[in-house]
Amino acid sequence: MRFRAFGRRCIAGVVVCVASLFAGNALAQDRPPLNERVTPAIFETVFPAADRLGEVEGQPPFMRAYAGDEQLGFVFSTYDVVRAPSYSPRPFDAIVGMDLAGNLTGVQVISFHDPYLTGFPERVRQLAEFFRFYVGYNISGQRAFPAQPDFVQGTTISARQMRAGVLDAARVIDRATSDRPPVTEPTLDLDAFTVMNWGELMEMGALAHRAVTFGDVREALAEAGVTPVEMEVPLGRPDLALNPPRFDCRFVATRACEIDANLVRENDEIYTDLYFALVTPAMIGRNLLGSDLYARYLTPQPPGTHMLAMLSAGPYDFRGLGFYRDENGNRFDRFRLVQGETEIVFTRDQHQMVGGLRGDRPRLPDVSVFFIAPNSGFDPVAPFEIVLMVTATTETGEQATIDIPIAYQVPDDVILMPFVEPAPPWVEAWADATPQLVILGIALVILTGLFIFQKQLTMSRRAHAWIRNAFLLFTLVWLGWIAGGQLSIVHVVNYLKAPFDGVDIGFYLAEPLIVVIGIYVLLSLILIGRGVFCGWLCPFGALQELTAKVARFLKLPTWDPPERMQRWMWLPKYGTAALIVGAAFVAPAALAATEEIEPFKTAITSVFTRPWPYVAYALVLVGMGLFTERFFCRFLCPLGGVLALGDRLHIFTLLKRRPECGSGGCHLCERSCPVRAIERDGKIIMAECFQCLDCQVEYYDEQRCPPLAKGRKVRERASRARPQMGVPVPAMAMSAAASKPAMGPDR
Amino acid sequence: MTLVDARPTPLGLSRRQALKVVAATAALPLGVLGLRAIGPTPQFHTWNGEVLGAVSSLTLWHSNANFARTTMQRMASEIGRLERIFSLYRPDSELRRLNADGMLEGASRDLRLVLTSARFIGLATGGAFDPTVQPLWDVYARHFASPGADPAGPSGFALDAARSLVGYRDIDTDGGAIRFARQGMQATLNGIAQGYITDRIADLLRNEGFQHVVVELGEARVLGDHPEGRPWRVGLRDRAGATDRMVDLSNGAVALHGGYGTVFDESGRNHHIFDPVTGRSAQTMLDVAVVSGRATDADAIGVGIYVAGEERASAILAQFPGTRAIITRRDGTTVTIG
Ligand code: SF4
Ligand code: SF4
């Protein structure tokens, strides 16, 4: 198709030439004409494979590079094409070679005005070295830039600017000289070509191969339940042992003996050794058939025709004799092409016999090319199968055919993919974070499960304590210290400011863990309240709680404000939140300082590695938490304040109460609440509740919750009275209460 | 089993209790020391890329590699957005569209901010800094691109025409749209746009709590000190490309302007810093390094001082508290002002 393409190129060239009459003159005088600048030495450097150059043509100007009569690519100058500046406003000039497939073949910078290059021969040498790495680089930009050596400072900027100029120029030339429209979907690359031998074609996957042995055919026939009586290539006998040669043959080789011996076909003997390939792409076709045959076969075909080359050795060649028979419709009956719903059986007029092909390849005497018509529904870039067919006549005189399918997919190297903009940074961030997202996902599923099976969890004091401590440890160590997933007031500020900032969504999306936690927190805030985050997912909260648990274990004294005082003490956290959000809008310069109210950066994200004043502040807060549970959370935390405000929206309250709670005269839960979120009247202040579920453990404790205990005693008395109707006492509750008798009052 | 609240109050601490409190309080700092010993140690994390055609990097000092990497990916995202506004390489950038059409509806806040600071610094430098000198640039580039160009520079006639298109006061940024008062006016935000991107990223990083940061996105700005506790040392490149001169910098930006940065001809007399009044390349000094809190200011003030000359430098610097300039005179002597 390349030949037709030239025709079209010429027509396009006329239009361009007319344009160049106007544009050309102004530029022509700036620098010597292109063919003078490209000296033989430079030509050799930028296009080693070519041996001669064509005339300067086109606007912007370029020259075609040939090896013999065959065009290999183009040579042009960046100055003529894009006049790109480098580290100087005066454009540099580089001569560039590019092959037909858009791979750079060489770059030589011939003039520049960069202050950091002029007079530094060492740097100039490095610049040449820099571009050597771009030989073979495809200008489509689908591959990353090649790895480069490190650079002396000063040339790097120039080199990269020049690289941009070279690639821009090459793209312009590529577009101007190519008639292929930019592909919008995967398309077969018909024109790209580099010399490849048989081995390289095999490695690339350009050829499908299947060696079918006599044994395979026997097996397939047996499987299909066919006993062949007659076949085009008879199977003969598997080996000599079954039918030893006649006695006299051991001494004289008569003709009868020869026939007899020929009938022996061992199981691993080749029935047919078949290779085939889609040869429409020049990369495969020209390498397999040679340039002459490739062009001779393809050129007369209507555009859109595809060529399939079949090659085989062995007695059962792919052609057979069927195509000689008119009554058979001149069809080839030994194979067909299958692609999804489409089945193609080739006929004699779609066939081209090819003489033997030479070269370093297996001996394959039978070679043919088959033409696939443009309207056949065949999709060259989709996988297809060649189904080898072996027909046998059975004892009853019927024809039975067995199918041996062989799969094929044209290799990616000859498929042009549409240009894709490089993925934005956040996509990379999500890919990087996949393992972390999996861990977080599992943790969130578990957490959700805990809230769904809250009752079952809190019925067992011991299970609740273990699970809760383990989860907090996970939150602190993994989520906080390792993954750096501490949600913070900084995020709230960022999200609030987003509409005014113009920052685009990618900025937020680039933090996968925070995005996921943020969404989870928002949902849980609306459904249950702020406690899901503060009680379970905040690493700094977990740090305070875990250290406080140690303090309780060591029986350190505790202090909590009285109820009325506490109501006042709850307020400053709203103040700190307002201060930070206010600063974000009114005094952005002070924002960073106000955000230091939050010790998260110190204690969590940087694991106490900041300077001592910050560490000391964080420690004071953790220290207060030893004596007053979650001191910072309850009274100061700006994020807690924002969440507590949002808590007003929550829909469900899962925490159970009894009429006896508080005003009913019992204060057990109230005292069990580590953060004193239950007031004397028994009401839970949800904005201050951390969903730790300690109160629910009391709620279900048959030993300690007075209404439950009363019921239990009644039942026990009843069962003592009538032991035969014994009501089982929940063993778990008994043992838990027995093993930790001091837990409740100690709080 | 009793339900009596048995918690002691701090005032009624027994001797034993008091000892425990002291011990626990002392244990916390020890715990932190332990954590610092076994936990991650902070180190530099670097991002490299190209911003507005300049080699750029971002260097953060942090102990959590995950956090540093995520942060840099977020910053890369933001840099990408700003590039789509200021790039001269992308035909669809806001700046290209503004220069092509002479006006831009619905300009981004960022472009308006940059033009506003440009205008402000234009005023403060008495017009020595002017973002609308792009037409002069074009005249020079065209003049020296032709063979046998007069080494003295473009003719007065050509310059006059271009000079009539220069004037920072004629950029109208009121309302959402940006407008040039005269047809053919063009803005070059080279330098100041890089400065803006540098500042923007530095500010974001400071809000994220990073304390030791070097932002080099076309302009250089640092946050805090070097983790070793000394100021960052910034090398200033001289005419020959050597970096023997050092400036100490903490929490600030430095911008260097010299007529040798981008030159049009071999003599180096014609370069990219134009005096908007004469239309010629300024020849007041060899170079000037301006140290300022913000990269945007450092860049534009530097251009202003280079054009205005040493005499007017202190008057200009006086309007920007915390700013100083290191001027290298044409005779090679150095003076620090401000
Ligand atoms: S109040 Fe603040 S520190 Fe406490 S758990 Fe909630 S967000 Fe974390
Ligand atoms: S004890 Fe109950 S009320 Fe108190 S924080 Fe825990 S769940 Fe909330």
Side-chain angles (χ1 to χ4, degrees), chain A residues 29-31 79 83 85 87-91 113 115-116 118 120 123 145 153-154 156-157 160-161 163-164 168 425-426 428-429 432-433 436 480-484 490-491 494 497 500-508 510-512 547 554-560 588-589 591-592 595-596 601 604-612 614-615 619 622-623 626-627 666 668 671 676 703-704 706 737 741 745-747, chain B residues 1-10 13 16-22 24-25 28-30 32-33 35-36 39-42 48-50 52-56 61-67 69-78 80-81 84 89-90 109-110 137 140-141 144-147 196 200-201 203-204 206-212 216 237-243 260-266 272:
Chain A
Q29 29 181 289
D30 293 3
R31 287 181 60 75
Y79 183 88
R83 266 189 203 219
Y87 199 68
S88 150
R90 287 185 69 182
H113 308 274
Y116 300 135
T118 323
F120 294 94
R123 293 178 178 177
F145 290 135
Q153 272 220 322
T156 317
I157 297 180
R160 296 205 181 166
Q161 300 264 48
R163 173 182 70 198
D168 282 351
W426 65 266
E428 194 188 329
D432 284 356
Q436 296 180 352
W481 282 341
I482 296 174
V490 177
H491 300 111
N494 281 347
K497 273 176 63 182
F500 310 97
D501 244 15
V503 169
D504 70 11
I505 185 96
F507 182 71
Y508 302 105
E511 279 179 304
T547 46
L554 298 174
K555 302 214 169 54
L556 291 188
T558 59
W559 178 82
D560 278 290
L591 178 61
E595 282 172 351
E596 291 296 343
K601 288 171 206 159
I604 305 300
T605 338
S606 61
V607 203
F608 291 105
T609 52
R610 293 177 85 199
W612 276 106
Y614 297 98
V615 174
L619 275 183
V622 177
L626 293 181
F627 310 105
C666 174
L668 176 67
R671 274 187 298 265
R676 308 285 136 167
Q703 300 289 331
R704 291 165 45 83
D746 208 38
R747 278 259 148 95
Chain B
M1 194 162 292
T2 161
L3 295 179
V4 175
D5 190 345
R7 278 171 300 130
T9 61
L13 288 184
R16 246 184 77 142
Q17 295 275 41
L19 271 177
K20 273 192 194 169
V21 170
V22 173
T25 319
L28 279 183
L30 288 179
V32 164
L33 279 180
L35 208 54
R36 272 165 71 127
T41 43
N48 289 301
E50 290 179 54
L52 298 183
V55 181
S56 304
W61 174 259
H62 203 272
S63 57
N64 191 322
N66 267 323
F67 185 67
R69 194 185 54 214
T70 323
T71 306
M72 293 197 283
Q73 273 159 339
R74 292 167 63 211
M75 297 307 146
S77 194
E78 174 69 353
R81 180 184 75 88
R84 290 193 287 277
Y89 291 100
R90 293 166 178 263
R109 180 168 164 272
D110 307 273
W137 174 292
Y140 273 81
F144 283 105
S146 48
Y196 178 80
R200 169 109 190 123
I201 297 298
D203 289 348
L204 285 171
R206 199 189 45 199
N207 283 352
E208 302 284 332
F210 288 90
Q211 277 165 328
H212 312 285
E216 285 181 275
R237 198 173 265 134
D238 64 16
R239 190 176 193 111
T243 54
Y260 49 81
T262 31
V263 288
F264 292 105
D265 59 344
E266 307 298 327
H272 73 297

Side-chain angles (χ1 to χ4, degrees), chain A residues 151-206:
Chain A
F151 269 79
V152 168
Q153 272 220 322
T155 32
T156 317
I157 297 180
S158 299
R160 296 205 181 166
Q161 300 264 48
M162 286 181 183
R163 173 182 70 198
V166 165
L167 292 180
D168 282 351
R171 285 183 192 125
V172 171
I173 292 294
D174 186 51
R175 235 170 290 133
T177 55
S178 134
D179 49 2
R180 51 192 139 109
V183 296
T184 52
E185 53 185 48
T187 311
L188 202 59
D189 185 352
L190 302 177
D191 301 324
F193 176 72
T194 44
V195 178
M196 293 175 107
N197 61 27
W198 179 268
E200 287 163 339
L201 286 174
M202 283 302 287
E203 197 174 307
M204 174 182 164

Side-chain angles (χ1 to χ4, degrees), chain A residues 402-723:
Chain A
I402 52 162
D403 286 349
I404 304 172
I406 309 164
Y408 186 80
Q409 161 75 65
V410 80
D412 289 346
D413 305 56
V414 293
I415 299 178
L416 293 172
M417 297 305 273
F419 179 75
V420 270
E421 278 269 340
W426 65 266
V427 175
E428 194 188 329
W430 282 77
D432 284 356
T434 315
Q436 296 180 352
L437 288 169
V438 170
I439 298 178
L440 179 65
I442 295 173
L444 293 182
V445 168
I446 292 177
L447 183 57
T448 313
L450 291 182
F451 276 92
I452 293 175
F453 299 106
Q454 204 176 92
K455 179 170 173 194
Q456 285 80 347
L457 175 71
T458 49
M459 299 255 285
S460 159
R461 189 178 287 273
R462 193 191 299 229
H464 170 262
W466 274 105
I467 291 178
R468 179 155 172 77
N469 287 340
F471 201 97
L472 288 179
L473 205 60
F474 164 82
T475 300
L476 173 63
V477 176
W478 186 81
L479 184 59
W481 282 341
I482 296 174
Q486 165 84 59
L487 195 68
S488 137
I489 189 76
V490 177
H491 300 111
V492 176
V493 166
N494 281 347
Y495 288 120
L496 284 179
K497 273 176 63 182
F500 310 97
D501 244 15
V503 169
D504 70 11
I505 185 96
F507 182 71
Y508 302 105
L509 287 179
E511 279 179 304
L513 287 187
I514 295 296
V515 170
V516 172
I517 294 176
I519 292 172
Y520 189 87
V521 169
L522 196 66
L523 288 178
S524 68
L525 182 68
I526 295 171
L527 291 176
I528 304 181
R530 59 93 62 117
V532 179
F533 174 74
C534 284
W536 299 82
L537 288 172
C538 175
F540 189 69
L543 174 64
Q544 293 171 83
E545 185 155 339
L546 289 170
T547 46
K549 289 224 158 117
V550 176
R552 292 300 78 74
F553 179 77
L554 298 174
K555 302 214 169 54
L556 291 188
T558 59
W559 178 82
D560 278 290
E563 195 170 297
R564 286 197 40 185
M565 184 174 166
Q566 168 161 283
R567 284 203 194 146
W568 285 106
M569 289 179 66
W570 279 340
L571 298 181
K573 63 173 172 289
Y574 300 105
T576 56
L579 182 72
I580 292 174
V581 174
F585 287 95
V586 183
L591 178 61
T594 58
E595 282 172 351
E596 291 296 343
I597 294 174
E598 213 182 47
F600 299 173
K601 288 171 206 159
T602 312
I604 305 300
T605 338
S606 61
V607 203
F608 291 105
T609 52
R610 293 177 85 199
W612 276 106
Y614 297 98
V615 174
Y617 170 68
L619 275 183
V620 166
L621 294 176
V622 177
M624 309 264 256
L626 293 181
F627 310 105
T628 304
E629 180 86 26
R630 291 209 181 218
F631 180 88
F632 174 74
C633 295
R634 286 153 73 187
F635 309 130
L636 289 175
C637 178
L639 178 60
V642 171
L643 292 174
L645 271 183
D647 189 278
R648 307 305 200 260
L649 302 170
H650 77 263
I651 302 171
F652 304 111
T653 302
L654 300 180
L655 302 176
K656 297 224 172 60
R657 314 296 294 140
R658 297 181 199 282
E660 290 85 350
C661 295
S663 354
C666 174
H667 300 283
L668 176 67
C669 294
E670 187 189 311
R671 274 187 298 265
S672 79
C673 175
V675 294
R676 308 285 136 167
I678 308 179
E679 301 208 313
R680 279 206 73 75
D681 59 4
K683 190 167 160 261
I684 300 181
I685 309 297
M686 287 309 294
E688 301 298 331
C689 165
F690 286 70
Q691 301 284 352
C692 69
L693 306 180
D694 283 2
C695 58
Q696 298 302 292
V697 174
E698 301 286 23
Y699 177 95
Y700 287 116
D701 192 329
E702 289 217 347
Q703 300 289 331
R704 291 165 45 83
C705 177
L708 276 190
K710 206 151 95 202
R712 178 179 57 90
K713 279 180 193 141
V714 170
R715 282 199 309 277
E716 276 174 5
R717 229 171 282 134
S719 70
R720 264 202 300 281
R722 288 176 293 167

Side-chain angles (χ1 to χ4, degrees), chain A residues 206-335:
Chain A
L207 284 149
H209 174 216
R210 175 80 178 267
V212 180
T213 62
F214 278 84
D216 293 341
V217 179
R218 285 192 183 107
E219 210 171 283
L221 285 168
E223 227 166 73
V226 177
T227 320
V229 180
E230 201 187 314
M231 289 174 74
E232 286 181 337
V233 175
L235 292 178
R237 295 188 298 269
D239 60 42
L240 288 168
L242 289 179
N243 281 54
R246 288 205 313 261
F247 175 78
D248 51 343
C249 291
R250 294 182 203 165
F251 307 103
V252 234
T254 63
R255 181 161 165 69
C257 292
E258 193 183 314
I259 291 170
D260 209 35
N262 279 347
L263 284 179
V264 174
R265 299 293 201 175
E266 302 214 15
N267 266 338
D268 56 3
E269 198 170 319
I270 290 292
Y271 196 60
T272 180
D273 193 11
L274 179 67
Y275 291 82
F276 65 91
L278 191 71
V279 288
T280 344
M283 185 78 79
I284 305 175
R286 276 177 61 187
N287 280 311
L288 205 60
L289 306 171
S291 299
D292 286 353
L293 292 184
Y294 172 73
R296 199 187 311 153
Y297 297 155
L298 189 53
T299 319
Q301 297 298 326
T305 306
H306 286 282
M307 298 199 297
L308 174 76
M310 304 275 292
L311 307 88
S312 82
Y316 193 76
D317 67 84
F318 54 85
R319 292 190 200 105
L321 297 167
F323 70 103
Y324 286 123
R325 293 189 213 110
D326 291 340
E327 71 276 14
N328 191 25
N330 292 106
R331 283 203 298 254
F332 286 84
D333 53 11
R334 287 188 176 180
F335 75 97

Side-chain angles (χ1 to χ4, degrees), chain B:
Chain B
M1 194 162 292
T2 161
L3 295 179
V4 175
D5 190 345
R7 278 171 300 130
T9 61
L11 298 179
L13 288 184
S14 67
R15 230 178 105 87
R16 246 184 77 142
Q17 295 275 41
L19 271 177
K20 273 192 194 169
V21 170
V22 173
T25 319
L28 279 183
L30 288 179
V32 164
L33 279 180
L35 208 54
R36 272 165 71 127
I38 58 163
T41 43
Q43 47 188 299
F44 283 119
H45 302 271
T46 306
W47 172 89
N48 289 301
E50 290 179 54
V51 176
L52 298 183
V55 181
S56 304
S57 71
L58 208 56
T59 308
L60 309 178
W61 174 259
H62 203 272
S63 57
N64 191 322
N66 267 323
F67 185 67
R69 194 185 54 214
T70 323
T71 306
M72 293 197 283
Q73 273 159 339
R74 292 167 63 211
M75 297 307 146
S77 194
E78 174 69 353
I79 291 169
R81 180 184 75 88
L82 294 169
E83 273 216 297
R84 290 193 287 277
I85 296 175
F86 295 112
S87 173
L88 282 172
Y89 291 100
R90 293 166 178 263
D92 57 345
S93 75
E94 287 191 13
L95 185 57
R96 281 276 291 264
R97 284 188 284 142
L98 171 65
N99 278 343
D101 303 342
M103 69 159 300
L104 185 68
E105 291 281 1
S108 67
R109 180 168 164 272
D110 307 273
L111 183 59
R112 275 183 284 129
L113 276 177
V114 169
L115 288 173
T116 313
S117 355
R119 190 193 166 91
F120 177 73
I121 297 173
L123 271 174
T125 57
F129 169 77
D130 193 319
T132 60
V133 292
Q134 181 70 18
L136 288 172
W137 174 292
D138 290 345
V139 169
Y140 273 81
R142 237 177 295 127
H143 173 83
F144 283 105
S146 48
D150 180 356
S155 69
F157 177 72
L159 282 182
D160 285 346
R163 245 172 354 118
S164 70
L165 294 173
V166 174
Y168 67 97
R169 287 196 194 81
D170 299 328
I171 306 178
D172 177 8
T173 54
D174 293 343
I178 299 171
R179 251 174 266 274
F180 291 145
R182 270 159 302 172
Q183 175 125 41
M185 279 181 67
Q186 290 199 346
T188 163
L189 300 180
N190 211 357
I192 196 165
Q194 274 101 330
Y196 178 80
I197 298 181
T198 304
D199 282 334
R200 169 109 190 123
I201 297 298
D203 289 348
L204 285 171
L205 287 172
R206 199 189 45 199
N207 283 352
E208 302 284 332
F210 288 90
Q211 277 165 328
H212 312 285
V213 176
V214 180
V215 185
E216 285 181 275
L217 304 173
E219 298 286 334
R221 175 162 161 200
V222 301
L223 293 185
D225 283 335
H226 191 280
E228 285 170 11
R230 55 169 173 80
W232 298 95
R233 268 182 226 132
V234 185
L236 300 180
R237 198 173 265 134
D238 64 16
R239 190 176 193 111
T243 54
D244 320 324
R245 293 180 295 166
M246 299 272 193
V247 189
D248 280 356
L249 195 62
S250 31
N251 265 324
V254 60
L256 179 69
H257 291 281
Y260 49 81
T262 31
V263 288
F264 292 105
D265 59 344
E266 307 298 327
S267 79
R269 280 194 62 77
N270 293 291
H271 57 76
H272 73 297
I273 308 180
F274 301 107
D275 184 339
V277 178
T278 63
R280 301 269 169 203
S281 302
Q283 310 288 354
T284 53
M285 56 190 75
L286 215 51
D287 65 20
V288 55
V290 172
V291 177
S292 169
R294 304 186 66 76
T296 319
D297 296 348
D299 179 81
I301 295 170
V303 172
I305 290 181
Y306 191 90
V307 170
E310 191 183 327
E311 318 76 57
R312 279 165 63 195
S314 47
I316 292 174
L317 290 167
Q319 302 174 62
F320 300 91
T323 304
R324 69 197 149 96
I326 305 153
I327 293 175
T328 309
R329 301 198 183 97
R330 298 191 70 80
D331 59 10
T333 54
T334 299
V335 55
T336 302
I337 301 177

